[in-house]
């Protein structure tokens, strides 16, 4: 481990010495030094892997290291672009360069901290660091001891109350508080009906948890079991609604609408403060929603690589969130430096956003996404205004993006692919009739939306049959019995495939002078 820290210190010195003025040779030297560190960490990783469990904080430190490795590679990519622009234009882009240098230095500091924590072999469980899903699992494990247990003669009995039940109860209330904190953080950015429903369910959960804690000594085993079942039901209800709210939020966010092209254009030209403030406010809301969707994508995902890519995208978008609006405003000075600075940050933002959406659509459950859109469609098509019809059609773009990915399209059988093609055709008809310059009879518009609904309902049923077949064949069965009872509809039930999205991070560097970083290899455990 000492050798790893020494190698990391060399990386830090290289960045600090010439971060503001280094050329491509300096960057290549840093790459070589950093690659050596990453390779040595990979050798060390098997010693850490046996401790890589949710019962310790070791997993948090390892995941932080994965995130920092990915972020450093991302920043190197953009540093190279900046250096190439500087050499081609004989200009200095100190402000842009410093943005990525500062992020690399931050990652190196986090790497130092995480490596030192691994050396100390810290294994304390900190609830603050656990995800929503991990907290749910712990809470349900606590309730497991209060369920019915079948006796050998076929009758049922209640599991006895443990001696340390008061301690367990206190921990359960603490778990519930943290679960509610995660849910309310999402509720703040959710759609208004979901916000109200989530808040109500959080209140119900806390109320049931309070009832479960009270009068422990005076309750009979049957009463105790009833309170446990009520609390368990409240946990499942909250998780189920959160899944549905996540899907509705995904349908609402169009990747093209979320891009910063419009924001960049108006901030560079408009002097109307009210218009600018409204745009910035809308942008901040979208960013908050993306962050919350990403947080729960990490929580529900079982794949380390997927988690790392999502974490990296969120880290990039968060770092850009603080500087991209000022950069766009600087365009008004119309110098080559400020224009290039804005363009580079815009390109970086859109690239990270695209990677984020692609990963998200690879892991979202297709049937649940279609079913969620159908629910929204049926609410909008009857008695809706033309503006609402346009919104429904726009939300359908999410399904085009979802099945536009090869991994989702290839999962469809022949009937599913035919229905998807029919969906594309009828969607084009819906868009065309809404854009028609002459007023169209509302009945004709409604008829096309009904056809759209019918085709997607058939596609949903086909996806459902496919999922039932997988479950019947055992490919979706969980080894953990309690996990098999959980229904996390936001994501596919089981993910055994290899994630290929990491290659996207380096796709722009096929002809690069930089050393090739095999990020997939670095992140592979084992």
């Amino acid at each position: 481990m000492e050798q790893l820290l020494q190698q990391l210190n060399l990386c830090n010195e290289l960045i600090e010495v010439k971060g503001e003025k280094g050329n491509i040779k300096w960057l290549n030297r840093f790459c070589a030094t950093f690659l050596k560190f990453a390779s040595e960490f990979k050798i060390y990783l098997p010693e850490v892997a046996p401790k890589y469990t949710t019962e310790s904080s070791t997993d948090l430190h390892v995941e932080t290291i994965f995130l920092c490795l990915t972020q450093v590679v991302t920043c190197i990519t953009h540093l190279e672009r900046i250096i190439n622009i500087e050499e081609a234009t004989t200009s200095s882009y100190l402000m842009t360069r410093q943005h990525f240098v500062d992020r690399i230095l931050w990652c190196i500091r986090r790497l130092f901290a995480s490596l030192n924590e691994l050396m100390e072999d810290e294994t304390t469980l900190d609830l603050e660091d656990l995800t929503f899903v991990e907290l749910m699992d712990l809470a349900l494990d606590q309730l497991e001891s209060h369920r019915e247990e079948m006796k050998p003669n076929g009758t049922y009995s209640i599991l006895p109350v443990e001696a340390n039940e008061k301690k367990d109860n206190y921990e359960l209330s603490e778990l519930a508080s943290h679960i509610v904190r995660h849910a309310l953080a999402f509720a703040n950015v959710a759609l208004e009906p979901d916000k109200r429903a989530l808040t109500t369910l959080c209140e119900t959960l806390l109320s049931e948890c309070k009832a479960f804690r009270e009068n422990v000594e005076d309750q009979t085993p049957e009463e105790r079991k009833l309170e446990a079942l009520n609390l368990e039901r409240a946990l499942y209800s909250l998780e189920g609604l959160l899944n549905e709210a996540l899907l509705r939020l995904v349908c609402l966010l169009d990747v093209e609408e979320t891009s910063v092209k419009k924001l960049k254009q108006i901030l560079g030209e408009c002097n109307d403060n009210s218009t600018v403030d409204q745009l910035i406010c809308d942008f901040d809301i979208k960013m908050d929603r993306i962050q919350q969707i990403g947080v729960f994508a990490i929580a529900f995902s079982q794949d380390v690589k997927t988690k790392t890519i999502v974490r990296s995208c969120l880290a990039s978008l968060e770092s850009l969130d603080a500087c991209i609006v000022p950069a766009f405003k600087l365009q008004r000075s119309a110098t080559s430096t400020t224009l290039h600075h804005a363009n580079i940050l815009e390109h970086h933002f859109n690239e990270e956003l695209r990677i984020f959406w692609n990963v998200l659509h690879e892991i979202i459950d297709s049937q649940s996404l279609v079913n969620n859109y159908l629910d929204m469609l049926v609410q909008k098509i009857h008695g809706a205004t033309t503006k609402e019809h346009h919104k429904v059609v726009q939300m359908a773009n999410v399904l085009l993006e979802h099945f536009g990915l090869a991994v989702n399209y290839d999962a469809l059988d022949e009937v599913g692919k035919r229905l998807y093609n029919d969906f594309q055709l009828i969607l084009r008809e819906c868009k065309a009739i809404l854009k028609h310059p002459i007023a169209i009879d509302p009945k004709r518009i409604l008829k096309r939306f009904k056809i759209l609904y019918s085709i997607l309902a058939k596609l949903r049923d086909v996806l459902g049959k496919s999922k039932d077949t997988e479950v019947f064949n055992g490919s979706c069965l969980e080894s953990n019995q309690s996990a098999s009872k959980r229904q996390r509809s936001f994501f596919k039930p089981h993910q055994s495939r290899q994630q290929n999205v990491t290659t996207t991070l380096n796709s722009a560097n096929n002809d690069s002078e930089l050393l090739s970083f095999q990020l997939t290899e670095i992140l592979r455990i084992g």
Side-chain angles (χ1 to χ4, degrees):
M1 182 64 81
E2 289 294 338
Q3 188 175 354
L4 278 175
L5 294 175
Q6 291 175 7
Q7 191 68 26
L8 191 57
N9 193 52
L10 288 176
C11 296
N12 190 66
E13 290 175 358
L14 279 169
I15 286 291
E16 285 187 331
V17 170
K18 287 192 176 182
E20 296 182 2
K21 56 184 178 180
N23 56 19
I24 200 72
K25 290 183 180 179
W26 158 79
L27 191 56
N28 273 329
R29 185 180 172 194
F30 171 77
C31 289
T33 308
F34 184 74
L35 181 59
K36 185 177 180 182
F37 161 77
S39 301
E40 289 177 358
F41 174 74
K42 181 186 172 184
I43 295 172
Y44 173 78
L45 191 56
E47 299 178 25
V48 183
K51 298 177 285 185
Y52 188 63
T53 64
T54 54
E55 284 75 24
S56 73
S57 60
T58 304
D59 59 337
L60 179 65
H61 301 311
V62 173
E63 287 177 5
T64 301
I65 291 172
F66 288 169
L67 168 62
C68 291
L69 291 173
T70 313
Q71 275 288 290
V72 170
V73 173
T74 300
C75 292
I76 286 171
T77 302
H78 292 282
L79 270 178
E80 181 195 15
R81 289 173 181 164
I82 295 164
I83 291 172
N84 288 336
I85 292 172
E86 287 176 333
E87 292 179 348
T89 60
T90 64
S91 302
S92 176
Y93 298 96
L94 179 60
M95 182 168 46
T96 318
R97 178 195 284 254
Q98 196 61 45
H99 170 78
F100 294 103
V101 168
D102 288 344
R103 281 169 60 181
I104 291 176
L105 288 171
W106 182 89
C107 288
I108 290 175
R109 288 195 297 271
R110 291 303 307 149
L111 285 168
F112 269 119
S114 294
L115 287 172
N116 283 321
E117 291 289 344
L118 288 176
M119 287 176 67
E120 294 174 8
D121 195 25
E122 178 63 42
T123 57
T124 304
L125 182 66
D126 189 350
L127 296 182
E128 294 287 342
D129 297 325
L130 296 184
T131 66
F132 175 84
V133 172
E134 289 167 337
L135 290 165
M136 285 284 294
D137 287 338
L138 286 174
L140 290 169
D141 287 343
Q142 289 277 3
L143 292 170
E144 187 74 28
S145 61
H146 302 280
R147 293 179 181 175
E148 291 182 342
E149 183 180 71
M150 182 177 285
K151 291 180 178 180
N153 62 4
T155 61
Y156 288 92
S157 67
I158 306 299
L159 290 175
V161 176
E162 300 293 338
N164 64 343
E165 189 167 31
K166 289 184 179 179
K167 176 177 178 296
D168 288 345
N169 290 338
Y170 172 77
E171 290 177 350
L172 190 56
S173 64
E174 192 174 11
L175 288 169
S177 296
H178 281 80
I179 289 170
V180 165
R181 190 178 305 170
H182 281 272
L184 290 179
F186 175 76
N188 286 334
V189 300
L191 304 181
E192 194 58 41
D194 290 326
K195 182 182 297 187
R196 293 194 299 269
L198 284 168
T199 302
T200 301
L201 278 179
C202 285
E203 293 172 354
T204 301
L205 175 60
L206 292 176
S207 175
E208 293 294 348
C209 191
K210 182 180 178 182
F212 185 76
R213 286 201 317 270
E214 292 177 345
N215 303 320
V216 174
E217 296 179 357
D218 298 333
Q219 287 178 331
T220 65
E222 289 77 11
E223 292 172 333
R224 189 70 177 148
K225 174 181 172 289
L226 181 61
E227 297 290 355
L229 288 173
N230 288 336
L231 181 52
E232 185 180 62
R233 190 181 299 113
L235 287 167
Y236 281 130
S237 296
L238 180 61
E239 185 183 41
L241 178 59
L242 200 143
N243 267 291
E244 295 169 8
L246 274 166
L247 287 166
R248 279 189 280 272
L249 207 55
V250 169
C251 284
L252 180 71
L253 290 174
D254 188 325
V255 69
E256 296 302 325
E257 287 275 313
T258 318
S259 73
V260 288
K261 183 178 180 180
K262 182 180 178 181
L263 181 67
K264 177 172 177 283
Q265 179 183 352
I266 293 181
L267 286 180
E269 301 171 355
C270 183
N271 291 316
D272 185 349
N273 289 333
S274 61
T275 302
V276 169
D277 290 344
Q278 184 59 49
L279 269 175
I280 294 173
C281 180
D282 292 342
F283 174 71
D284 288 339
I285 290 172
K286 289 175 183 177
M287 291 301 297
D288 289 342
R289 285 176 168 173
I290 288 170
Q291 288 288 333
Q292 280 298 315
I293 289 171
V295 165
F296 282 93
I298 293 166
F300 281 97
S301 178
Q302 303 297 313
D303 186 275
V304 176
K305 293 179 187 177
T306 301
K307 287 184 177 183
T308 301
I309 296 167
V310 175
R311 285 181 195 275
S312 181
C313 291
L314 293 183
S316 294
L317 294 173
E318 186 177 6
S319 68
L320 287 167
D321 189 23
C323 64
I324 201 164
V325 169
F328 289 168
K329 288 182 177 180
L330 280 175
Q331 294 176 106
R332 296 174 188 176
S333 63
T335 65
S336 60
T337 301
T338 56
L339 289 174
H340 275 300
H341 179 61
N343 290 338
I344 289 170
L345 294 188
E346 179 192 17
H347 174 78
H348 181 30
F349 181 93
N350 290 335
E351 186 179 63
E352 293 296 317
L353 186 62
R354 174 53 63 186
I355 294 170
F356 174 77
W357 281 119
N358 284 348
V359 176
L360 197 65
H361 279 292
E362 284 198 21
I363 56 184
I364 285 179
D365 181 64
S366 300
Q367 185 194 17
S368 297
L369 186 63
V370 173
N371 198 49
N372 180 75
Y373 178 76
L374 286 172
D375 289 342
M376 300 175 80
L377 180 61
V378 78
Q379 293 173 6
K380 295 287 185 182
I381 58 177
H382 291 285
T385 63
T386 303
K387 183 178 179 180
E388 289 174 319
H389 284 150
H390 278 287
K391 191 66 178 176
V392 170
V393 167
Q394 181 186 354
M395 287 189 294
N397 290 333
V398 173
L399 296 179
L400 291 177
E401 286 187 18
H402 182 76
F403 291 105
L405 289 178
V407 66
N408 294 324
Y409 182 77
D410 293 342
L412 297 172
D413 59 17
E414 290 303 316
V415 176
K417 289 176 180 176
R418 177 178 59 78
L419 288 169
Y420 175 63
N421 291 334
D422 291 343
F423 159 69
Q424 291 177 296
L425 289 172
I426 189 61
L427 183 61
R428 281 199 291 269
E429 284 194 29
C430 290
K431 290 179 178 179
I433 200 169
L434 290 176
K435 291 180 180 179
H436 202 281
I438 303 174
I440 304 295
D441 184 352
K443 291 182 179 179
R444 291 178 61 191
I445 297 175
L446 183 60
K447 180 179 179 180
R448 279 164 175 78
F449 275 106
K450 285 182 176 179
I451 295 172
L452 175 65
Y453 183 94
S454 176
I455 291 171
L456 284 177
K458 291 176 183 177
L459 179 59
R460 174 195 59 192
D461 294 341
V462 167
L463 291 167
K465 289 177 183 177
S466 218
K467 189 186 296 185
D468 290 341
T469 302
E470 288 180 3
V471 174
F472 179 77
N473 292 334
S475 61
C476 289
L477 295 179
E478 302 263 357
S479 57
N480 187 313
Q481 187 176 4
S482 63
S484 67
K485 298 177 182 178
R486 307 282 297 281
Q487 293 183 353
R488 294 170 179 163
S489 61
F490 188 63
F491 288 95
K492 293 184 174 81
H494 180 71
Q495 296 189 42
S496 58
R497 61 182 177 80
Q498 291 290 327
Q499 296 286 354
N500 297 317
V501 188
T502 46
T503 56
T504 310
L505 294 169
N506 294 321
S507 62
N509 275 339
N510 292 333
D511 300 321
S512 171
E513 290 185 55
L514 295 179
L515 297 175
S516 174
F517 278 82
Q518 300 298 326
L519 188 59
T520 303
E521 289 298 319
I522 292 172
L523 298 181
R524 181 175 297 158
I525 296 179

